[in-house]
Amino acid sequence: EPEVTQTPSHQVTQMGQEVILRCVPISNHLYFYWYRQILGQKVEFLVSFYNNEISEKSEIFDDQFSVERPDGSNFTLKIRSTKLEDSAMYFCASSEAPGTQYFGPGTRLTVL
Amino acid sequence: ILNVEQSPQSLHVQEGDSTNFTCSFPSSNFYALHWYRWETAKSPEALFVMTLNGDEKKKGRISATLNTKEGYSYLYIKGSQPEDSATYLCAFNALGGATNKLIFGTGTLLAVQP
């Protein structure tokens, strides 16, 4: 069964460093998303992406964040200068159409 | 601000018990309600997408109902098994958004003791 994959499973970085979180969505899906969950809090929406552009972003998704679909299979989330409060589990999701979103297993980001 | 709440936060039951939990969501601007099952270190797994008031969905021993007028959904598990232990998340889609971003509840952590 096709699935969304994410790498790495765990990323540790120093405050101020750039990180790139990678996702491979399900191959025939057209809609892509990033969510995150800070420990003990709700899963929260960051950004959605369709037709090679951002469709919607939350207020969390400021200038430090960017997304890219560089090669038609990967979907990346970049954080330019990480802060302590960026430590969270980051989930990628994809969907064929508006409807069920299929999630990856997440990347745990730890900012020291 | 759209708020989605789930109760209880956690639940411990014995194998064979039936259980249910609640998701409450805004009753206006409803588009869809999703249920996910999330085991630690795995991907959240889609269980149901519900769109119509009065909808009832079933998958094996798990079923869900939807009341959009009053803004709640129940998830039922009949005859719980240890492998049902997971966090159950509900997520709300509002009508009229640019995309179908999901607004999640806090989740209900279910532990089933053998």
PDB file of all heavy atoms in Angstrom, chain B residues 34-68:
ATOM      1  N   HIS B  34     -12.840  14.281  10.457  1.00  0.00           N
ATOM      2  CA  HIS B  34     -11.957  13.140  10.226  1.00  0.00           C
ATOM      3  C   HIS B  34     -11.603  12.494  11.557  1.00  0.00           C
ATOM      4  O   HIS B  34     -11.397  13.189  12.552  1.00  0.00           O
ATOM      5  CB  HIS B  34     -10.645  13.596   9.580  1.00  0.00           C
ATOM      6  CG  HIS B  34     -10.797  14.314   8.286  1.00  0.00           C
ATOM      7  ND1 HIS B  34     -10.350  13.807   7.080  1.00  0.00           N
ATOM      8  CD2 HIS B  34     -11.332  15.531   7.997  1.00  0.00           C
ATOM      9  CE1 HIS B  34     -10.607  14.681   6.117  1.00  0.00           C
ATOM     10  NE2 HIS B  34     -11.194  15.728   6.643  1.00  0.00           N
ATOM     11  N   TRP B  35     -11.480  11.169  11.559  1.00  0.00           N
ATOM     12  CA  TRP B  35     -10.928  10.439  12.696  1.00  0.00           C
ATOM     13  C   TRP B  35      -9.654   9.736  12.252  1.00  0.00           C
ATOM     14  O   TRP B  35      -9.611   9.107  11.181  1.00  0.00           O
ATOM     15  CB  TRP B  35     -11.916   9.400  13.220  1.00  0.00           C
ATOM     16  CG  TRP B  35     -13.002   9.953  14.088  1.00  0.00           C
ATOM     17  CD1 TRP B  35     -14.294  10.228  13.729  1.00  0.00           C
ATOM     18  CD2 TRP B  35     -12.904  10.276  15.483  1.00  0.00           C
ATOM     19  NE1 TRP B  35     -14.986  10.706  14.811  1.00  0.00           N
ATOM     20  CE2 TRP B  35     -14.167  10.740  15.899  1.00  0.00           C
ATOM     21  CE3 TRP B  35     -11.873  10.215  16.430  1.00  0.00           C
ATOM     22  CZ2 TRP B  35     -14.431  11.154  17.216  1.00  0.00           C
ATOM     23  CZ3 TRP B  35     -12.135  10.613  17.724  1.00  0.00           C
ATOM     24  CH2 TRP B  35     -13.395  11.078  18.113  1.00  0.00           C
ATOM     25  N   TYR B  36      -8.627   9.854  13.099  1.00  0.00           N
ATOM     26  CA  TYR B  36      -7.348   9.192  12.850  1.00  0.00           C
ATOM     27  C   TYR B  36      -6.980   8.357  14.070  1.00  0.00           C
ATOM     28  O   TYR B  36      -7.296   8.716  15.209  1.00  0.00           O
ATOM     29  CB  TYR B  36      -6.226  10.217  12.617  1.00  0.00           C
ATOM     30  CG  TYR B  36      -6.267  10.889  11.267  1.00  0.00           C
ATOM     31  CD1 TYR B  36      -7.021  12.033  11.056  1.00  0.00           C
ATOM     32  CD2 TYR B  36      -5.539  10.383  10.194  1.00  0.00           C
ATOM     33  CE1 TYR B  36      -7.050  12.654   9.816  1.00  0.00           C
ATOM     34  CE2 TYR B  36      -5.556  10.998   8.951  1.00  0.00           C
ATOM     35  CZ  TYR B  36      -6.318  12.137   8.770  1.00  0.00           C
ATOM     36  OH  TYR B  36      -6.338  12.743   7.537  1.00  0.00           O
ATOM     37  N   ARG B  37      -6.243   7.301  13.812  1.00  0.00           N
ATOM     38  CA  ARG B  37      -5.695   6.447  14.864  1.00  0.00           C
ATOM     39  C   ARG B  37      -4.180   6.583  14.778  1.00  0.00           C
ATOM     40  O   ARG B  37      -3.586   6.376  13.704  1.00  0.00           O
ATOM     41  CB  ARG B  37      -6.112   5.003  14.612  1.00  0.00           C
ATOM     42  CG  ARG B  37      -5.595   4.006  15.588  1.00  0.00           C
ATOM     43  CD  ARG B  37      -6.178   2.630  15.263  1.00  0.00           C
ATOM     44  NE  ARG B  37      -5.647   1.632  16.139  1.00  0.00           N
ATOM     45  CZ  ARG B  37      -4.499   1.009  15.971  1.00  0.00           C
ATOM     46  NH1 ARG B  37      -3.757   1.284  14.927  1.00  0.00           N
ATOM     47  NH2 ARG B  37      -4.081   0.114  16.838  1.00  0.00           N
ATOM     48  N   TRP B  38      -3.524   6.919  15.899  1.00  0.00           N
ATOM     49  CA  TRP B  38      -2.096   7.202  15.864  1.00  0.00           C
ATOM     50  C   TRP B  38      -1.375   6.402  16.933  1.00  0.00           C
ATOM     51  O   TRP B  38      -1.528   6.657  18.121  1.00  0.00           O
ATOM     52  CB  TRP B  38      -1.870   8.707  16.072  1.00  0.00           C
ATOM     53  CG  TRP B  38      -0.450   9.144  16.000  1.00  0.00           C
ATOM     54  CD1 TRP B  38       0.579   8.521  15.353  1.00  0.00           C
ATOM     55  CD2 TRP B  38       0.101  10.304  16.599  1.00  0.00           C
ATOM     56  NE1 TRP B  38       1.739   9.235  15.512  1.00  0.00           N
ATOM     57  CE2 TRP B  38       1.473  10.342  16.267  1.00  0.00           C
ATOM     58  CE3 TRP B  38      -0.424  11.335  17.378  1.00  0.00           C
ATOM     59  CZ2 TRP B  38       2.309  11.354  16.692  1.00  0.00           C
ATOM     60  CZ3 TRP B  38       0.419  12.353  17.800  1.00  0.00           C
ATOM     61  CH2 TRP B  38       1.771  12.353  17.464  1.00  0.00           C
ATOM     62  N   GLU B  39      -0.575   5.453  16.471  1.00  0.00           N
ATOM     63  CA  GLU B  39       0.292   4.704  17.374  1.00  0.00           C
ATOM     64  C   GLU B  39       1.656   5.376  17.392  1.00  0.00           C
ATOM     65  O   GLU B  39       2.136   5.845  16.352  1.00  0.00           O
ATOM     66  CB  GLU B  39       0.477   3.270  16.878  1.00  0.00           C
ATOM     67  CG  GLU B  39      -0.724   2.384  17.063  1.00  0.00           C
ATOM     68  CD  GLU B  39      -0.404   0.969  16.614  1.00  0.00           C
ATOM     69  OE1 GLU B  39       0.400   0.300  17.306  1.00  0.00           O
ATOM     70  OE2 GLU B  39      -0.937   0.554  15.569  1.00  0.00           O
ATOM     71  N   THR B  40       2.290   5.370  18.538  1.00  0.00           N
ATOM     72  CA  THR B  40       3.595   6.000  18.712  1.00  0.00           C
ATOM     73  C   THR B  40       4.577   5.480  17.670  1.00  0.00           C
ATOM     74  O   THR B  40       4.622   4.285  17.386  1.00  0.00           O
ATOM     75  CB  THR B  40       4.134   5.693  20.125  1.00  0.00           C
ATOM     76  OG1 THR B  40       3.155   6.101  21.064  1.00  0.00           O
ATOM     77  CG2 THR B  40       5.420   6.448  20.385  1.00  0.00           C
ATOM     78  N   ALA B  41       5.340   6.403  17.088  1.00  0.00           N
ATOM     79  CA  ALA B  41       6.383   6.107  16.103  1.00  0.00           C
ATOM     80  C   ALA B  41       5.828   5.633  14.755  1.00  0.00           C
ATOM     81  O   ALA B  41       6.595   5.212  13.891  1.00  0.00           O
ATOM     82  CB  ALA B  41       7.392   5.098  16.626  1.00  0.00           C
ATOM     83  N   LYS B  42       4.516   5.708  14.580  1.00  0.00           N
ATOM     84  CA  LYS B  42       3.925   5.351  13.282  1.00  0.00           C
ATOM     85  C   LYS B  42       3.177   6.552  12.707  1.00  0.00           C
ATOM     86  O   LYS B  42       2.976   7.560  13.379  1.00  0.00           O
ATOM     87  CB  LYS B  42       2.966   4.177  13.443  1.00  0.00           C
ATOM     88  CG  LYS B  42       3.650   2.888  13.837  1.00  0.00           C
ATOM     89  CD  LYS B  42       2.677   1.741  13.792  1.00  0.00           C
ATOM     90  CE  LYS B  42       3.382   0.450  14.159  1.00  0.00           C
ATOM     91  NZ  LYS B  42       2.437  -0.679  14.192  1.00  0.00           N
ATOM     92  N   SER B  43       2.770   6.420  11.461  1.00  0.00           N
ATOM     93  CA  SER B  43       1.966   7.476  10.834  1.00  0.00           C
ATOM     94  C   SER B  43       0.554   7.454  11.391  1.00  0.00           C
ATOM     95  O   SER B  43      -0.011   6.370  11.564  1.00  0.00           O
ATOM     96  CB  SER B  43       1.886   7.258   9.321  1.00  0.00           C
ATOM     97  OG  SER B  43       3.157   7.158   8.743  1.00  0.00           O
ATOM     98  N   PRO B  44      -0.045   8.621  11.630  1.00  0.00           N
ATOM     99  CA  PRO B  44      -1.481   8.630  11.931  1.00  0.00           C
ATOM    100  C   PRO B  44      -2.240   7.967  10.782  1.00  0.00           C
ATOM    101  O   PRO B  44      -2.001   8.262   9.614  1.00  0.00           O
ATOM    102  CB  PRO B  44      -1.804  10.126  12.018  1.00  0.00           C
ATOM    103  CG  PRO B  44      -0.505  10.774  12.395  1.00  0.00           C
ATOM    104  CD  PRO B  44       0.554   9.961  11.696  1.00  0.00           C
ATOM    105  N   GLU B  45      -3.144   7.061  11.144  1.00  0.00           N
ATOM    106  CA  GLU B  45      -3.865   6.271  10.141  1.00  0.00           C
ATOM    107  C   GLU B  45      -5.289   6.794  10.017  1.00  0.00           C
ATOM    108  O   GLU B  45      -5.993   6.909  11.029  1.00  0.00           O
ATOM    109  CB  GLU B  45      -3.890   4.810  10.602  1.00  0.00           C
ATOM    110  CG  GLU B  45      -4.726   3.878   9.740  1.00  0.00           C
ATOM    111  CD  GLU B  45      -5.074   2.587  10.460  1.00  0.00           C
ATOM    112  OE1 GLU B  45      -4.530   2.346  11.563  1.00  0.00           O
ATOM    113  OE2 GLU B  45      -5.908   1.835   9.935  1.00  0.00           O
ATOM    114  N   ALA B  46      -5.701   7.099   8.801  1.00  0.00           N
ATOM    115  CA  ALA B  46      -7.061   7.602   8.583  1.00  0.00           C
ATOM    116  C   ALA B  46      -8.074   6.498   8.855  1.00  0.00           C
ATOM    117  O   ALA B  46      -7.965   5.400   8.301  1.00  0.00           O
ATOM    118  CB  ALA B  46      -7.207   8.121   7.163  1.00  0.00           C
ATOM    119  N   LEU B  47      -9.057   6.786   9.722  1.00  0.00           N
ATOM    120  CA  LEU B  47     -10.130   5.833  10.003  1.00  0.00           C
ATOM    121  C   LEU B  47     -11.380   6.189   9.202  1.00  0.00           C
ATOM    122  O   LEU B  47     -11.922   5.364   8.469  1.00  0.00           O
ATOM    123  CB  LEU B  47     -10.466   5.830  11.497  1.00  0.00           C
ATOM    124  CG  LEU B  47      -9.424   5.245  12.442  1.00  0.00           C
ATOM    125  CD1 LEU B  47      -9.838   5.462  13.898  1.00  0.00           C
ATOM    126  CD2 LEU B  47      -9.208   3.770  12.167  1.00  0.00           C
ATOM    127  N   PHE B  48     -11.870   7.417   9.392  1.00  0.00           N
ATOM    128  CA  PHE B  48     -13.124   7.815   8.752  1.00  0.00           C
ATOM    129  C   PHE B  48     -13.046   9.280   8.334  1.00  0.00           C
ATOM    130  O   PHE B  48     -12.391  10.085   8.979  1.00  0.00           O
ATOM    131  CB  PHE B  48     -14.306   7.703   9.732  1.00  0.00           C
ATOM    132  CG  PHE B  48     -14.465   6.349  10.371  1.00  0.00           C
ATOM    133  CD1 PHE B  48     -14.307   6.201  11.737  1.00  0.00           C
ATOM    134  CD2 PHE B  48     -14.804   5.235   9.621  1.00  0.00           C
ATOM    135  CE1 PHE B  48     -14.457   4.975  12.347  1.00  0.00           C
ATOM    136  CE2 PHE B  48     -14.958   3.991  10.218  1.00  0.00           C
ATOM    137  CZ  PHE B  48     -14.779   3.867  11.589  1.00  0.00           C
ATOM    138  N   VAL B  49     -13.777   9.587   7.242  1.00  0.00           N
ATOM    139  CA  VAL B  49     -14.110  10.966   6.900  1.00  0.00           C
ATOM    140  C   VAL B  49     -15.631  11.034   6.880  1.00  0.00           C
ATOM    141  O   VAL B  49     -16.270  10.214   6.210  1.00  0.00           O
ATOM    142  CB  VAL B  49     -13.597  11.382   5.509  1.00  0.00           C
ATOM    143  CG1 VAL B  49     -13.938  12.828   5.231  1.00  0.00           C
ATOM    144  CG2 VAL B  49     -12.125  11.151   5.387  1.00  0.00           C
ATOM    145  N   MET B  50     -16.188  11.989   7.604  1.00  0.00           N
ATOM    146  CA  MET B  50     -17.644  12.071   7.716  1.00  0.00           C
ATOM    147  C   MET B  50     -18.082  13.458   7.294  1.00  0.00           C
ATOM    148  O   MET B  50     -17.486  14.460   7.718  1.00  0.00           O
ATOM    149  CB  MET B  50     -18.064  11.786   9.152  1.00  0.00           C
ATOM    150  CG  MET B  50     -17.461  10.462   9.643  1.00  0.00           C
ATOM    151  SD  MET B  50     -17.839  10.124  11.338  1.00  0.00           S
ATOM    152  CE  MET B  50     -19.489   9.477  11.151  1.00  0.00           C
ATOM    153  N   THR B  51     -19.109  13.494   6.440  1.00  0.00           N
ATOM    154  CA  THR B  51     -19.518  14.784   5.892  1.00  0.00           C
ATOM    155  C   THR B  51     -20.995  15.099   6.114  1.00  0.00           C
ATOM    156  O   THR B  51     -21.380  16.268   6.086  1.00  0.00           O
ATOM    157  CB  THR B  51     -19.230  14.852   4.384  1.00  0.00           C
ATOM    158  OG1 THR B  51     -19.873  13.724   3.756  1.00  0.00           O
ATOM    159  CG2 THR B  51     -17.742  14.799   4.098  1.00  0.00           C
ATOM    160  N   LEU B  52     -21.824  14.093   6.315  1.00  0.00           N
ATOM    161  CA  LEU B  52     -23.271  14.340   6.378  1.00  0.00           C
ATOM    162  C   LEU B  52     -23.798  14.189   7.790  1.00  0.00           C
ATOM    163  O   LEU B  52     -23.450  13.236   8.499  1.00  0.00           O
ATOM    164  CB  LEU B  52     -24.011  13.344   5.476  1.00  0.00           C
ATOM    165  CG  LEU B  52     -23.665  13.420   3.984  1.00  0.00           C
ATOM    166  CD1 LEU B  52     -24.361  12.303   3.238  1.00  0.00           C
ATOM    167  CD2 LEU B  52     -24.057  14.783   3.426  1.00  0.00           C
ATOM    168  N   ASN B  53     -24.685  15.088   8.188  1.00  0.00           N
ATOM    169  CA  ASN B  53     -25.306  14.981   9.499  1.00  0.00           C
ATOM    170  C   ASN B  53     -26.025  13.638   9.608  1.00  0.00           C
ATOM    171  O   ASN B  53     -26.725  13.230   8.677  1.00  0.00           O
ATOM    172  CB  ASN B  53     -26.307  16.121   9.703  1.00  0.00           C
ATOM    173  CG  ASN B  53     -26.890  16.102  11.101  1.00  0.00           C
ATOM    174  OD1 ASN B  53     -26.165  15.882  12.076  1.00  0.00           O
ATOM    175  ND2 ASN B  53     -28.182  16.323  11.208  1.00  0.00           N
ATOM    176  N   GLY B  54     -25.814  12.941  10.713  1.00  0.00           N
ATOM    177  CA  GLY B  54     -26.438  11.637  10.899  1.00  0.00           C
ATOM    178  C   GLY B  54     -25.623  10.488  10.332  1.00  0.00           C
ATOM    179  O   GLY B  54     -25.988   9.320  10.473  1.00  0.00           O
ATOM    180  N   ASP B  55     -24.512  10.821   9.675  1.00  0.00           N
ATOM    181  CA  ASP B  55     -23.619   9.802   9.100  1.00  0.00           C
ATOM    182  C   ASP B  55     -23.177   8.823  10.169  1.00  0.00           C
ATOM    183  O   ASP B  55     -22.943   9.205  11.323  1.00  0.00           O
ATOM    184  CB  ASP B  55     -22.378  10.527   8.551  1.00  0.00           C
ATOM    185  CG  ASP B  55     -21.971  10.006   7.189  1.00  0.00           C
ATOM    186  OD1 ASP B  55     -22.612   9.064   6.692  1.00  0.00           O
ATOM    187  OD2 ASP B  55     -20.998  10.542   6.632  1.00  0.00           O
ATOM    188  N   GLU B  56     -23.091   7.564   9.791  1.00  0.00           N
ATOM    189  CA  GLU B  56     -22.504   6.572  10.675  1.00  0.00           C
ATOM    190  C   GLU B  56     -21.574   5.708   9.824  1.00  0.00           C
ATOM    191  O   GLU B  56     -21.960   5.223   8.770  1.00  0.00           O
ATOM    192  CB  GLU B  56     -23.597   5.697  11.308  1.00  0.00           C
ATOM    193  CG  GLU B  56     -23.068   4.743  12.349  1.00  0.00           C
ATOM    194  CD  GLU B  56     -24.166   4.113  13.195  1.00  0.00           C
ATOM    195  OE1 GLU B  56     -25.249   4.713  13.324  1.00  0.00           O
ATOM    196  OE2 GLU B  56     -23.917   3.011  13.722  1.00  0.00           O
ATOM    197  N   LYS B  57     -20.327   5.571  10.304  1.00  0.00           N
ATOM    198  CA  LYS B  57     -19.350   4.779   9.544  1.00  0.00           C
ATOM    199  C   LYS B  57     -18.851   3.651  10.431  1.00  0.00           C
ATOM    200  O   LYS B  57     -18.785   3.780  11.650  1.00  0.00           O
ATOM    201  CB  LYS B  57     -18.161   5.651   9.124  1.00  0.00           C
ATOM    202  CG  LYS B  57     -18.537   6.831   8.256  1.00  0.00           C
ATOM    203  CD  LYS B  57     -18.155   6.623   6.834  1.00  0.00           C
ATOM    204  CE  LYS B  57     -18.630   7.777   5.977  1.00  0.00           C
ATOM    205  NZ  LYS B  57     -17.887   7.981   4.781  1.00  0.00           N
ATOM    206  N   LYS B  58     -18.454   2.540   9.798  1.00  0.00           N
ATOM    207  CA  LYS B  58     -18.013   1.367  10.561  1.00  0.00           C
ATOM    208  C   LYS B  58     -16.827   0.738   9.849  1.00  0.00           C
ATOM    209  O   LYS B  58     -16.800   0.634   8.616  1.00  0.00           O
ATOM    210  CB  LYS B  58     -19.177   0.372  10.633  1.00  0.00           C
ATOM    211  CG  LYS B  58     -19.014  -0.743  11.626  1.00  0.00           C
ATOM    212  CD  LYS B  58     -20.359  -1.441  11.781  1.00  0.00           C
ATOM    213  CE  LYS B  58     -20.322  -2.822  12.329  1.00  0.00           C
ATOM    214  NZ  LYS B  58     -19.544  -3.176  13.435  1.00  0.00           N
ATOM    215  N   LYS B  59     -15.845   0.312  10.672  1.00  0.00           N
ATOM    216  CA  LYS B  59     -14.674  -0.370  10.130  1.00  0.00           C
ATOM    217  C   LYS B  59     -14.300  -1.438  11.154  1.00  0.00           C
ATOM    218  O   LYS B  59     -13.667  -1.134  12.172  1.00  0.00           O
ATOM    219  CB  LYS B  59     -13.551   0.643   9.946  1.00  0.00           C
ATOM    220  CG  LYS B  59     -12.305   0.137   9.250  1.00  0.00           C
ATOM    221  CD  LYS B  59     -11.335   1.310   9.049  1.00  0.00           C
ATOM    222  CE  LYS B  59     -10.081   0.873   8.348  1.00  0.00           C
ATOM    223  NZ  LYS B  59      -9.180   2.009   8.082  1.00  0.00           N
ATOM    224  N   GLY B  60     -14.766  -2.663  10.914  1.00  0.00           N
ATOM    225  CA  GLY B  60     -14.502  -3.722  11.890  1.00  0.00           C
ATOM    226  C   GLY B  60     -15.236  -3.439  13.187  1.00  0.00           C
ATOM    227  O   GLY B  60     -16.444  -3.226  13.204  1.00  0.00           O
ATOM    228  N   ARG B  61     -14.464  -3.372  14.277  1.00  0.00           N
ATOM    229  CA  ARG B  61     -15.068  -3.125  15.605  1.00  0.00           C
ATOM    230  C   ARG B  61     -15.190  -1.642  15.927  1.00  0.00           C
ATOM    231  O   ARG B  61     -15.673  -1.296  17.006  1.00  0.00           O
ATOM    232  CB  ARG B  61     -14.200  -3.819  16.668  1.00  0.00           C
ATOM    233  CG  ARG B  61     -14.225  -5.348  16.577  1.00  0.00           C
ATOM    234  CD  ARG B  61     -13.338  -5.986  17.647  1.00  0.00           C
ATOM    235  NE  ARG B  61     -11.922  -5.738  17.414  1.00  0.00           N
ATOM    236  CZ  ARG B  61     -11.208  -4.801  18.004  1.00  0.00           C
ATOM    237  NH1 ARG B  61     -11.761  -4.004  18.904  1.00  0.00           N
ATOM    238  NH2 ARG B  61      -9.922  -4.659  17.746  1.00  0.00           N
ATOM    239  N   ILE B  62     -14.745  -0.800  15.020  1.00  0.00           N
ATOM    240  CA  ILE B  62     -14.752   0.641  15.275  1.00  0.00           C
ATOM    241  C   ILE B  62     -15.865   1.294  14.449  1.00  0.00           C
ATOM    242  O   ILE B  62     -16.026   0.971  13.266  1.00  0.00           O
ATOM    243  CB  ILE B  62     -13.398   1.284  14.907  1.00  0.00           C
ATOM    244  CG1 ILE B  62     -12.256   0.575  15.621  1.00  0.00           C
ATOM    245  CG2 ILE B  62     -13.407   2.768  15.256  1.00  0.00           C
ATOM    246  CD1 ILE B  62     -10.879   1.116  15.263  1.00  0.00           C
ATOM    247  N   SER B  63     -16.620   2.165  15.087  1.00  0.00           N
ATOM    248  CA  SER B  63     -17.652   2.906  14.355  1.00  0.00           C
ATOM    249  C   SER B  63     -17.671   4.345  14.854  1.00  0.00           C
ATOM    250  O   SER B  63     -17.117   4.658  15.915  1.00  0.00           O
ATOM    251  CB  SER B  63     -19.020   2.255  14.530  1.00  0.00           C
ATOM    252  OG  SER B  63     -19.375   2.220  15.899  1.00  0.00           O
ATOM    253  N   ALA B  64     -18.275   5.214  14.034  1.00  0.00           N
ATOM    254  CA  ALA B  64     -18.343   6.630  14.403  1.00  0.00           C
ATOM    255  C   ALA B  64     -19.674   7.192  13.946  1.00  0.00           C
ATOM    256  O   ALA B  64     -20.237   6.760  12.940  1.00  0.00           O
ATOM    257  CB  ALA B  64     -17.185   7.404  13.778  1.00  0.00           C
ATOM    258  N   THR B  65     -20.170   8.165  14.711  1.00  0.00           N
ATOM    259  CA  THR B  65     -21.394   8.869  14.348  1.00  0.00           C
ATOM    260  C   THR B  65     -21.094  10.355  14.284  1.00  0.00           C
ATOM    261  O   THR B  65     -20.107  10.829  14.852  1.00  0.00           O
ATOM    262  CB  THR B  65     -22.500   8.610  15.380  1.00  0.00           C
ATOM    263  OG1 THR B  65     -22.055   9.060  16.670  1.00  0.00           O
ATOM    264  CG2 THR B  65     -22.843   7.131  15.461  1.00  0.00           C
ATOM    265  N   LEU B  66     -21.989  11.080  13.617  1.00  0.00           N
ATOM    266  CA  LEU B  66     -21.765  12.509  13.395  1.00  0.00           C
ATOM    267  C   LEU B  66     -23.059  13.282  13.594  1.00  0.00           C
ATOM    268  O   LEU B  66     -24.102  12.911  13.037  1.00  0.00           O
ATOM    269  CB  LEU B  66     -21.246  12.738  11.966  1.00  0.00           C
ATOM    270  CG  LEU B  66     -20.971  14.181  11.562  1.00  0.00           C
ATOM    271  CD1 LEU B  66     -19.763  14.722  12.312  1.00  0.00           C
ATOM    272  CD2 LEU B  66     -20.754  14.291  10.059  1.00  0.00           C
ATOM    273  N   ASN B  67     -22.983  14.361  14.372  1.00  0.00           N
ATOM    274  CA  ASN B  67     -24.090  15.288  14.535  1.00  0.00           C
ATOM    275  C   ASN B  67     -23.553  16.682  14.247  1.00  0.00           C
ATOM    276  O   ASN B  67     -22.878  17.292  15.081  1.00  0.00           O
ATOM    277  CB  ASN B  67     -24.650  15.204  15.961  1.00  0.00           C
ATOM    278  CG  ASN B  67     -25.853  16.107  16.176  1.00  0.00           C
ATOM    279  OD1 ASN B  67     -25.933  17.210  15.630  1.00  0.00           O
ATOM    280  ND2 ASN B  67     -26.788  15.656  16.972  1.00  0.00           N
ATOM    281  N   THR B  68     -23.831  17.175  13.039  1.00  0.00           N
ATOM    282  CA  THR B  68     -23.275  18.476  12.649  1.00  0.00           C
ATOM    283  C   THR B  68     -24.080  19.634  13.225  1.00  0.00           C
ATOM    284  O   THR B  68     -23.553  20.728  13.373  1.00  0.00           O
ATOM    285  CB  THR B  68     -23.225  18.616  11.113  1.00  0.00           C
ATOM    286  OG1 THR B  68     -24.561  18.497  10.600  1.00  0.00           O
ATOM    287  CG2 THR B  68     -22.337  17.574  10.489  1.00  0.00           C
TER     288      THR B  68
END
